[in-house]
Amino acid sequence: MTTVSKDEFFQFTKELCERVGAYQTQKWGTALNIEHKGEINLVTEVDKHSEKLIVEAIQSRFPDHDILAEEGSGERKDSPYKWIIDPLDGTTNFAHAYPLFAISIALEFEGKILAGAVYVPILKELFQGYAGEGAFLNDKPIQVSQSKTVLDSMVATGFAYNLRETHDNNINHFKNVLLKAGAVRRDGVAAIDLCYVACGRYDAFWELDLFPWDTAAGMVICEEAGGRTSRFDGTKYTVYEREILISNSLIHDEMVSILKPGIPRGPRR
Ligand code: IPD
Ligand code: CA
Ligand code: CA
């Protein structure tokens, strides 16, 4: 079996993200072929081609590994390694020529997220993390913020594409946090939100109904930078859960006290 060290993961994902990011930058702001996966859930030709480039690179370097990719081109080989890929996080931003979007690539080993890379092509910012070995932005170590209260914090959230079909749509939490926090932002790119907590630009982030490809890479990066992850009630989060709260650790309990009294969770819709 192939083992993937920190150096190998970092070098492989750096080259791959820079190559696919250059393609996305070239396509950004041009006329695109856009399809609808749902009423407000878009997919472009660039999402699909980026995923093809990423999956081909992984299959050629790690042919026996499993792949889980958002646009469906992954395959299962019952390997202990699983690559979890969002080829373009922030598709709605991309389709509107808004410059915040990212490539997110994580590696799971025996059910735990081992490493992650998130690349923001327009800003040329590469976030990388490896369990037990730290988190980095363009090769420099990063740390979460030191904010101690939600009032002193700038926090972020997002809204899933199903928000019109469910009452459990985060609007209640958004209002509750807005009335307590120093500031709340909504950028539309979960992978970047998580990395911004990792490097101290945000102090916390929460969202409902994200998928493993949205959170896996950013979660390990943020935890390696000193962040803490849980469900809204403070219990253990895995990337297969439907709610995530991530913070600089220091304001985590206060965020739980704001999010916990929300509407009880039902199954994913
Ligand atoms: C979406 C983004 C967005 C989040 C949505 C995700 P996509 O991913 O991460 O920030 O609010 O829930 O689905 O579709 O742009 O890859
Ligand atoms: Ca996504
Ligand atoms: Ca995506």
Side-chain angles (χ1 to χ4, degrees):
M1 183 198 310
T2 335
T3 52
V4 183
S5 68
K6 171 187 168 239
D7 287 350
E8 187 176 14
F9 179 86
F10 276 22
Q11 193 195 12
F12 175 70
T13 52
K14 183 174 197 287
E15 284 169 14
L16 184 55
C17 284
E18 286 177 353
R19 181 159 62 85
V20 178
Y23 159 69
Q24 293 181 350
T25 302
Q26 190 199 337
K27 287 294 214 173
W28 177 67
T30 67
L32 297 169
N33 245 324
I34 300 176
E35 289 166 40
H36 282 253
K37 294 199 271 190
E39 191 184 17
I40 56 168
N41 187 357
L42 311 178
V43 61
T44 75
E45 61 187 270
V46 180
D47 298 61
K48 291 180 185 173
H49 188 63
S50 299
E51 181 165 304
K52 183 169 179 284
L53 295 174
I54 295 166
V55 167
E56 279 173 0
I58 292 169
Q59 283 171 335
S60 139
R61 178 79 164 263
F62 306 102
D64 53 345
H65 288 189
D66 286 6
I67 295 176
L68 172 67
E70 180 178 11
E71 307 310 335
S73 50
E75 51 179 343
R76 282 187 62 181
K77 301 193 168 175
D78 291 321
S79 161
Y81 284 100
K82 189 198 305 178
W83 293 82
I84 303 177
I85 300 153
D86 191 335
L88 205 172
D89 190 36
T91 297
T92 305
N93 289 350
F94 186 81
H96 288 264
Y98 185 83
L100 276 189
F101 55 90
I103 298 162
S104 177
I105 302 173
L107 180 57
E108 184 186 272
F109 178 64
E110 293 184 337
K112 288 196 177 137
I113 307 302
L114 179 68
V118 172
Y119 185 57
V120 186
I122 300 298
L123 297 174
K124 292 191 165 50
E125 289 193 328
L126 176 63
F127 297 86
Q128 291 174 303
Y130 193 99
E133 308 250 12
F136 305 85
L137 166 52
N138 291 345
D139 297 324
K140 294 199 176 72
I142 49 173
Q143 279 287 312
V144 293
S145 74
Q146 293 298 311
S147 299
K148 291 187 180 56
T149 65
V150 172
L151 185 61
D152 281 336
S153 294
M154 182 154 87
V155 302
T157 190
F159 295 88
Y161 298 122
N162 65 0
L163 90 165
R164 295 173 191 184
E165 290 105 55
T166 172
H167 286 299
D168 195 7
N169 57 10
N170 197 25
I171 291 173
N172 57 331
H173 298 300
F174 182 67
K175 181 181 158 208
N176 293 340
V177 178
L178 197 59
L179 294 172
K180 300 259 181 187
V184 183
R185 297 289 179 262
R186 190 271 205 248
D187 270 327
V189 203
I192 295 182
D193 293 324
L194 295 164
C195 291
Y196 278 15
V197 178
C199 69
R201 293 174 187 166
Y202 289 147
D203 304 293
F205 165 74
W206 83 96
E207 189 166 342
L208 277 163
D209 280 338
L210 289 172
F211 288 87
W213 45 79
D214 298 308
T215 60
M219 180 188 77
V220 66
I221 293 166
C222 191
E223 288 182 346
E224 283 302 309
R228 180 174 154 200
T229 319
S230 73
R231 294 159 42 130
F232 289 0
D233 63 0
T235 57
K236 187 176 164 49
Y237 169 80
T238 75
V239 297
Y240 303 99
E241 309 283 333
R242 55 179 301 248
E243 57 185 43
I244 182 171
L245 165 63
I246 195 154
S247 77
N248 69 353
S249 298
L250 300 173
I251 64 163
H252 206 87
D253 291 343
E254 196 185 345
M255 284 297 295
V256 167
S257 73
I258 300 169
L259 296 175
K260 201 176 169 183
I263 299 167
R265 300 280 88 77
R268 187 193 286 282
R269 262 173 286 175

